Amino acid sequence: MFETTAFIHHFPYLGLLTLLVLGTLGLPFPEDGILLLSGFLIAHHVIKPLPAFLVVYLGLLMTDFLLYSVGKKYGRRIVEHKRFQKILTSDRLGKLENKFIKWGPLVVFFGRHLLGLRAQIFLVAGVMRMSWKKFLIVAGTSALFTITLWGGIGYVGGNSIQTLKKDI
């Protein structure tokens, strides 16, 4: 059986990137959990902060852009595609389109932080034909906050565990 932790131990940066991609493809690897893991691995000196940040940041942008591109390619027909019917219903698409009309890029910026809506919002950004440059700027800026928050929590948690081990 494939051992996820063993893979990350031997190839930590590639492991983090792989988990991000697999999570985007629908496997049970939530983005926030991967960011927590990266902070934890930094705290335990398994990975270095700068390369970890670069891998995670570029991985987030790559996976976000993948969803955006699928939305742009299929347009409103995306709700008819079997693979995406689980992610985005026609009702949800209509509601998110209205949000995009009203608030535009802010939907992408804040949508990244809404668990369960992230993939839907990035797909709809493509459906709504948001410019790819604007999408990457907004998603990239938002990702900086996400990485800081979740990676920071993982780092602090990792340091807390080390402190507890010393004290015990």
Side-chain angles (χ1 to χ4, degrees):
M1 181 163 180
F2 180 71
E3 185 72 31
T4 305
T5 54
F7 180 74
I8 289 177
H9 180 71
H10 294 303
F11 308 101
Y13 303 106
L14 181 59
L16 291 170
L17 180 62
T18 302
L19 290 176
L20 285 170
V21 171
L22 291 175
T24 299
L25 296 175
L27 294 172
F29 301 112
E31 183 178 287
D32 300 339
I34 297 163
L35 297 176
L36 282 168
L37 175 63
S38 67
F40 182 84
L41 294 174
I42 291 168
H44 286 271
H45 307 291
V46 175
I47 59 178
K48 297 184 186 303
L50 184 59
F53 168 78
L54 292 174
V55 166
V56 168
Y57 185 69
L58 293 174
L60 290 180
L61 288 182
M62 181 178 74
T63 56
D64 295 352
F65 193 72
L66 174 69
L67 290 168
Y68 164 85
S69 297
V70 168
K72 195 161 191 170
K73 178 180 179 178
Y74 289 102
R76 292 190 56 75
R77 294 175 305 161
I78 198 160
V79 295
E80 299 167 7
H81 196 280
K82 275 186 182 182
R83 175 81 173 127
F84 297 102
Q85 284 177 339
K86 295 176 186 175
I87 298 173
L88 188 64
T89 63
S90 58
D91 183 46
R92 173 64 70 180
L93 175 60
K95 289 177 183 176
L96 287 173
E97 283 176 325
N98 289 334
K99 302 286 184 207
F100 265 88
I101 291 167
K102 192 171 183 180
W103 290 304
L106 289 175
V107 175
V108 173
F109 184 86
F110 291 109
R112 163 176 290 291
H113 308 286
L114 301 174
L115 191 62
L117 286 179
R118 183 180 300 136
Q120 295 174 10
I121 288 171
F122 295 157
L123 285 168
V124 174
V127 170
M128 296 295 292
R129 302 284 190 232
M130 177 183 234
S131 109
W132 66 269
K133 289 178 186 177
K134 185 184 286 188
F135 175 79
L136 284 177
I137 289 169
V138 174
T141 304
S142 182
L144 291 173
F145 289 100
T146 304
I147 291 169
T148 302
L149 174 67
W150 292 109
I153 291 170
Y155 181 81
V156 169
N159 277 335
S160 298
I161 290 172
Q162 285 178 334
T163 302
L164 286 172
K165 280 182 180 179
K166 284 181 190 175
D167 290 346
I168 292 175

